[in-house]
Amino acid sequence: MASVAPDWHLTRDLEVFLDRAGSFLRSEPALHTVQLTVTDALGRSGSATFGPEPPHFAWLTDRDGAVRATALRTPPHPLNLTATTTEAADALAARLLETGHPLPGVNGLADTAAAFATAWERRTGATAQLTTNQRLYRLGTLTPPEPAPPGRARLATGDDQGLVARWHAEFGAATGQKANRDPDRWAEGRIAHGGITFWETPDGTPVAMAGAIPKVAGQIRVAPVYTPPALRGRGYASAATAAVSRAALSAGADEVLLFTDLANPTSNALYQRIGYRPVRDFATHTFHA
């Protein structure tokens, strides 16, 4: 990546950010999937979508004024940073400190997140702990499981809101994600746009769920995928994920994406069996005073 003059611009105005950096984000929808889906959700549901404090946005321009990197944070979540140089990551750390931005952590492409974490440690005296390693996958040729487990896929409805909320909370607890959003509101919002699919047994009992985030910049991301512990190992998650992936393709998605935790070899193998292929590795570093 060519060196750029690290000139970071900060705003808390979503429209300003998208007007300046929207084209950059759309230039690589897969690598920028998190920021694309977060800004889309903020635009649809308002600045309090992810928490009561308004979000923060930043973009980096080169000497010609072209955008070369972006960052955003929806408190209380970590900073999300797109690919950039070590120099630019350090400049962003300095800029955020100048403006009094406290940070709980950073996530992004593994090398970029590590560069920012190192800069933050040096400038603040905090300790950065690598807490999550993820791999981004892109769907190639969809290969549904054969044979599929008994049952069928169906969209969750309003009658299922309680179960979706409970499974979402269980998924968060199992993956170590803090529940910063009310599970019932999350479930209501997802169900409203057809964003949750169940795999259910022949008697109509839901046994797994797979979600899909609305299409933006041609990409749809599958998330979350959850099977209660007592029901795992029977192919339910694979069948639900294949069903959601097929629906995403039918909806005209150019790219169907998902993240996996690299600490979970079962899920990584599962998604590859149904046609997902690795794109890049991402990481989260948590800061401790």
Side-chain angles (χ1 to χ4, degrees):
M1 184 179 298
S3 177
V4 298
D7 187 8
W8 285 97
H9 310 268
L10 308 182
T11 186
R12 302 193 82 166
D13 188 314
L14 174 64
E15 291 187 9
V16 169
F17 176 67
L18 291 179
D19 178 68
R20 193 66 187 88
S23 295
F24 168 79
L25 291 177
R26 285 171 168 76
S27 69
E28 292 191 273
L31 294 184
H32 301 158
T33 178
V34 171
Q35 293 194 22
L36 284 166
T37 55
V38 167
T39 52
D40 180 65
L42 290 168
R44 287 184 290 103
S45 303
S47 62
T49 299
F50 299 98
E53 184 181 339
H56 304 258
F57 308 99
W59 66 96
L60 173 75
T61 55
D62 65 14
R63 293 181 178 87
D64 298 320
V67 176
R68 296 302 185 189
T70 56
L72 65 75
R73 183 177 174 235
T74 53
H77 301 285
L79 181 77
N80 181 273
L81 177 60
T82 64
T84 194
T85 63
T86 299
E87 177 191 19
D90 181 71
L92 178 60
R95 187 85 165 84
L96 294 178
L97 284 168
E98 287 173 2
T99 54
H101 283 54
L103 288 180
V106 62
N107 61 52
L109 285 167
D111 53 353
T112 295
F116 184 90
T118 298
W120 194 260
E121 283 185 311
R122 186 179 66 255
R123 290 181 175 275
T124 66
T127 299
Q129 178 186 7
L130 176 61
T131 49
T132 307
N133 282 306
Q134 292 185 310
R135 181 160 292 162
L136 177 66
Y137 285 87
R138 178 191 289 116
L139 182 62
T141 300
L142 179 62
T143 308
E146 291 291 346
R152 68 184 183 96
R154 74 163 175 87
L155 284 175
T157 70
D159 292 337
D160 302 304
Q161 183 173 328
L163 178 59
V164 172
R166 177 159 57 85
W167 280 3
H168 172 62
E170 291 176 5
F171 172 82
T175 56
Q177 299 178 16
K178 294 181 180 179
N180 294 307
R181 299 176 66 188
D182 177 71
D184 284 310
R185 288 188 61 192
W186 181 91
E188 181 181 23
R190 280 300 189 92
I191 291 170
H193 69 73
I196 294 291
T197 295
F198 286 132
W199 189 264
E200 61 180 20
T201 56
D203 67 359
T205 302
V207 288
M209 74 174 184
I213 297 173
K215 182 171 64 173
V216 56
Q219 52 93 32
I220 291 176
R221 194 166 80 251
V222 176
V225 177
Y226 181 71
T227 307
L231 299 172
R232 292 173 186 168
R234 308 180 193 185
Y236 297 145
S238 180
T241 303
V244 167
S245 302
R246 184 185 296 109
L249 293 172
S250 297
D254 299 319
E255 298 181 301
V256 185
L257 309 167
L258 56 78
F259 282 102
T260 65
D261 187 341
L262 286 173
N264 187 339
T266 300
S267 64
N268 282 268
L270 179 158
Y271 299 130
Q272 291 183 74
R273 283 197 299 272
I274 63 175
Y276 282 87
R277 300 293 176 257
V279 179
R280 293 284 296 276
D281 287 355
F282 288 69
T284 300
H285 298 255
T286 302
F287 302 148
H288 304 281

